[in-house]
Amino acid sequence: MKKTLEDHAARFDEMAAEYDDSKSEEYRACAELVIRHAAPEADDVVLDLATGTGAIGLALADDAEFVVGRDISEGMLEQAREKAADRGIENVEFGEGRFREPGVDRNIDVVVSNFAMHHLSDEEKREAIEAIGALEPTRFVLGDVMLFGEADPSEPFYSPEVDDPATVGVLADALTDAGFALTAVEQVHEQVGVLVAERPGGAVDADAAAATDAASRDDADQESA
């Protein structure tokens, strides 16, 4: 990670009030896909990691039993709490937490995150995915900056000074190693996408195996190019 967690928290504190109005079309497309794929049941508890101003967590609250939002920025969390209060949403709780230390004390059924994990190095992403796997959710939906091919250095979607996106293959391998089966890959942009991973009850089904194989092939093709 190119900046410390404290640096990132301070940066997001400063932009919290304007954050919702500053997002790109790709960010919003990812958020919609994350919400759609999360699909919580009425008795599910959802963990929204790097919740920001709570857009995804609050959108899922109507369908879930409870939503836990975690972020490193108190400014963002204040915005999320204000939104929940304004909308009369009571089955949510927002507090400090991070990918590798989410700080939850209840069983989690679904984990979601959008446009945040790319701030971590590849090794830190792997550690974060392992920590998420240890919560034993049935589903993890990740929307993020991720590389489907070779990033154009003259026109990166991300900011190299603060971001460190992984290839889809690296993320797929980390998910598999953490006990998940990759069941869907949604490409929004050459450098943006959504991965859906589920914890298989038994043998990995054909769709999950196909998704994982495709992601691994894409990564291998990139490395050999």
Side-chain angles (χ1 to χ4, degrees):
M1 187 171 55
K2 300 180 181 182
K3 289 184 177 290
T4 66
L5 288 175
E6 290 74 18
D7 290 335
H8 283 300
R11 187 166 65 91
F12 284 110
D13 283 346
E14 292 176 359
M15 65 175 70
E18 294 80 30
Y19 186 76
D20 289 345
D21 297 327
S22 66
K23 307 319 295 176
S24 66
E25 291 182 8
E26 290 84 359
Y27 176 98
R28 297 182 191 283
C30 270
E32 292 176 3
L33 286 167
V34 169
I35 292 167
R36 184 191 312 166
H37 282 292
E41 302 290 340
D43 58 351
D44 280 346
V45 176
V46 177
L47 171 61
D48 182 12
L49 284 170
T51 187
T53 62
I56 290 177
L58 294 171
L60 295 172
D62 281 347
D63 297 323
E65 178 180 324
F66 198 80
V67 174
V68 178
R70 290 291 182 260
D71 205 281
I72 61 172
S73 166
E74 185 56 35
M76 292 288 198
L77 292 168
E78 287 176 3
Q79 293 289 320
R81 294 183 190 113
E82 288 179 11
K83 283 185 187 178
D86 290 344
R87 300 175 191 179
I89 300 175
E90 298 181 349
N91 62 329
V92 296
E93 181 262 315
F94 294 104
E96 195 275 337
R98 55 202 65 188
F99 283 110
R100 290 169 288 173
E101 297 176 359
V104 294
D105 57 1
R106 60 172 73 212
N107 292 332
I108 299 297
D109 300 292
V110 179
V111 177
V112 295
S113 187
N114 193 49
F115 264 64
M117 195 178 282
H118 63 274
H119 294 303
L120 304 178
S121 69
D122 284 2
E123 182 57 34
E124 289 166 334
K125 291 183 188 73
R126 177 172 286 276
E127 293 171 357
I129 290 170
E130 288 174 354
I132 291 167
L135 298 173
E136 298 188 345
T138 58
R139 185 177 307 113
F140 173 34
V141 186
L142 174 66
D144 206 2
V145 182
M146 58 184 72
L147 305 180
F148 286 84
E150 198 70 42
D152 182 350
S154 67
E155 218 175 315
F157 182 86
Y158 57 94
S159 301
E161 65 273 13
V162 296
D163 302 330
D164 192 8
T167 64
V168 175
V170 165
L171 294 170
D173 287 345
L175 289 164
T176 300
D177 290 345
F180 291 102
L182 190 62
T183 57
V185 179
E186 299 265 18
Q187 182 173 351
V188 173
H189 177 279
E190 288 183 357
Q191 300 174 42
V192 178
V194 173
L195 305 182
V196 183
E198 303 194 29
R199 186 176 296 278
V204 178
D205 62 35
D207 289 343
T212 302
D213 288 346
S216 297
R217 284 197 302 272
D218 287 346
D219 210 34
D221 290 345
Q222 179 181 334
E223 291 177 357
S224 63

